[in-house]
Amino acid sequence: MTLPGPLGTPSRRGAAALAAAAVLAVALLGTGGLLIPAVGTPAFLRALLLAGLAVAVGELAGTRLAGPGPLPQPLATPGALLAAAATAGLPLLPAAVHGPRENRLLLVTAYACLLAAVCAASRRPALAALPLTAAIVAEALRAHPETAGFGIGTGLTVVHLTAASLWTGTLLYVLRVLRLRGGGREVLLRYARMAACAYAALAATGTASTLRRLPPEAALATAYGRILLLKLALFGGASLLALAARSRLTSGTDARPPARVELAVLAAIVALSALLTVVPTP
């Protein structure tokens, strides 16, 4: 009998995806967000890019946290290749790009992810950290076309994207390690300490970016504002689940059930983050 993966059985994942789509559709009613042309495909490719980066970054961090013992099959190379393929597909969509600058940055991201995949498959997979950093910086620069160079907004996005990739991707890797070993409280404890730092960085940069980009009057009146509020609500849910997992960990009980739900919520946050990159900013 096969055990369900970290995100649950396929049927549960499908039901959760349908429920999330329904909630998003209701949230966007009256904002015109459902009528924005060609949003779906760019958002899907951006979600694949963010997911691939999270898998690759999380595995680099997770292997250091896992300690001695069996390790799951590496996914950093497939994750980086997925990110590269998704990035390479974006220039083929006219609605997804905004000029030569973005095309150049997409090219940098794609090549950096390809190089990261090669490094991850080599004898020194830790070298993948350098091209992954380049991909994150290029994506942050792309997200801020209003600045010519590396401004405050770009710096906030670099820290935010790195922290999000560490929280989500490393949790996925740690859960795979625990499943393979049939447990591993020490691994989860080491992850919890790292995740606390990533959480603090994520909350601080997310708050600062929101205050810079979203006028208060646009929070409920625009598609961008409502998606962001939905993302913040999910972030709050993931925070509570992380606290529940930590509480179980300190009490000596199995912390994996809330951690699996936390990972599913984080996957939904990744999807909303991808959608925010293609919805017009107020």
Side-chain angles (χ1 to χ4, degrees):
M1 181 175 64
T2 58
L3 295 174
L7 291 177
T9 62
S11 59
R12 289 181 180 178
R13 289 197 295 267
L18 287 175
V23 171
L24 180 61
V26 171
L28 294 181
L29 284 176
T31 65
L34 296 175
L35 303 177
I36 300 173
V39 159
T41 305
F44 177 70
L45 291 178
R46 294 256 180 231
L48 293 182
L49 164 61
L50 297 178
L53 285 175
V55 169
V57 171
E59 186 166 302
L60 284 179
T63 50
R64 294 180 175 273
L65 299 175
L71 297 176
Q73 181 180 358
L75 291 180
T77 296
L81 288 175
L82 176 67
T87 306
L90 283 167
L92 305 178
L93 305 172
V97 294
H98 303 283
R101 178 181 183 269
E102 181 167 356
N103 280 323
R104 287 193 296 269
L105 290 171
L106 288 172
L107 192 63
V108 171
T109 303
Y111 278 120
C113 290
L114 279 176
L115 182 56
V118 173
C119 292
S122 69
R123 293 183 179 181
R124 300 183 65 183
L127 290 175
L130 294 175
L132 286 173
T133 301
I136 289 173
V137 171
E139 177 61 16
L141 286 168
R142 184 214 58 79
H144 293 273
E146 70 279 0
T147 57
F150 197 94
I152 295 176
T154 304
L156 289 172
T157 304
V158 168
V159 177
H160 192 79
L161 185 52
T162 303
S165 299
L166 282 172
W167 185 8
T168 307
T170 312
L171 179 57
L172 172 63
Y173 188 81
V174 165
L175 286 175
R176 293 177 65 223
V177 170
L178 298 184
R179 184 185 176 197
L180 178 65
R181 299 179 183 178
R185 183 173 181 272
E186 299 79 11
V187 180
L188 208 50
L189 276 171
R190 288 192 287 268
Y191 165 74
R193 287 191 286 268
M194 192 262 331
C197 297
Y199 177 88
L202 199 61
T205 54
T207 302
S209 296
T210 299
L211 292 175
R212 291 182 76 251
R213 303 190 73 172
L214 184 66
E217 63 274 9
L220 291 175
T222 63
Y224 187 95
R226 291 192 186 181
I227 294 171
L228 184 58
L229 290 176
L230 185 55
K231 178 184 172 181
L232 291 175
L234 289 178
F235 182 77
S239 305
L240 293 176
L241 288 163
L243 288 174
R246 183 180 286 269
S247 175
R248 281 174 167 251
L249 197 57
T250 25
S251 65
T253 53
D254 189 3
R256 285 176 290 178
R260 292 191 188 105
V261 182
E262 177 190 345
L263 181 60
V265 174
L266 290 175
I269 292 175
V270 168
L272 288 179
S273 300
L275 190 57
L276 283 173
T277 64
V278 297
V279 172
T281 308

